[in-house]
Amino acid sequence: MLPQDLLVPFLFTLPAYVANPSAVLWGGGTPMDFGRVARDGRRILGDGKTWRGFFGGALTGFSLGVFYAVLDGMSSTSPTWVTGRLLLAFAVMAFGALAGDVLAAFVKRRLGLERGARAPGLDQYDFLLGALLLLALADPALFTAFYLAGDRIYGLLLVIVITPVLHRAVNLLGYRMGRKKEPW
Ligand code: CTP
Ligand code: MG
């Protein structure tokens, strides 16, 4: 196994890793469910999901993808269509990350969990699942090349293993900075 087989899947996931906590920094304003309540009497999503957080977070994560694509575009060996394809993939992943987060909030509310309540598993993996699933649907060949082909699968395993660790560390940081109400 080559070191880049571990590194490439991780680097490729970074725009999604950046998108999720960036939503915390951007968050505020109009909630995505506009305050509406579902049939079960609970909020559809709750005040923890706002439009500003969604688009601010996704675009912040995507900006890292733009940086990657610019680097790729500067390499003379990479054709323009590859750069474009990468841009699209990172957009899908950054928005997919926050779509996963929104979906998890929907599930949490249906389970009767209040905003900010702990949902082990869901809290740590919602954004990763959203990003990877949407990429796999949008560009299966690229998903395979970056996460599954050959020894890249070990890099994917590494991503899966370190995601809860990174999630915990970043949330603790956000909590200490007074940006997050709960350290999870
Ligand atoms: N946030 C936001 N919009 C989003 C996602 C996050 O404004 N689309 C902000 C909110 O201020 C939210 C904070 O980031 O409170 C932390 O995000 P998260 O932990 O995902 O939300 P919770 O407050 O825990 O709410 P939930 O239980 O619905 O996940
Ligand atoms: Mg939370």
Side-chain angles (χ1 to χ4, degrees), residues 138-155:
D139 195 337
L142 198 70
F143 176 78
T144 303
F146 277 97
Y147 290 106
L148 300 177
D151 286 339
R152 290 278 166 86
I153 192 121
Y154 295 111

Side-chain angles (χ1 to χ4, degrees), residues 3-140:
Q4 56 261 42
D5 287 325
L6 285 182
L7 201 61
V8 167
F10 176 75
L11 291 179
F12 204 73
T13 316
L14 266 184
Y17 279 140
V18 168
N20 195 46
S22 297
V24 183
L25 301 179
W26 284 97
T30 312
M32 295 179 83
D33 64 5
F34 299 103
R36 278 192 294 236
V37 168
R39 276 164 192 244
D40 56 11
R42 299 178 185 277
R43 284 285 293 276
I44 297 175
L45 298 172
D47 287 330
K49 306 297 137 185
T50 65
W51 290 106
R52 252 180 30 209
F54 182 83
F55 283 102
L59 290 175
T60 305
F62 179 54
S63 65
L64 180 63
V66 172
F67 172 71
Y68 283 165
V70 167
L71 287 184
D72 175 78
M74 288 192 314
S75 128
S76 53
T77 51
S78 182
T80 315
W81 66 267
V82 170
T83 309
R85 193 170 169 187
L86 283 177
L87 267 181
L88 199 69
F90 289 126
V92 164
M93 289 182 81
F95 279 92
L98 286 171
D101 177 60
V102 166
L103 191 67
F106 180 81
V107 171
K108 283 168 77 174
R109 296 306 89 84
R110 302 291 74 71
L111 291 173
L113 295 169
E114 298 295 335
R115 169 195 180 177
R118 223 169 181 159
L122 211 55
D123 283 333
Q124 289 83 1
Y125 283 111
D126 53 6
F127 75 98
L128 184 68
L129 263 172
L132 294 184
L133 219 67
L134 276 190
L135 177 68
L137 287 173
D139 195 337

Side-chain angles (χ1 to χ4, degrees), residues 108 116-117 123 180 182 184:
K108 283 168 77 174
D123 283 333
K180 234 186 153 281
E182 305 87 13
W184 55 79

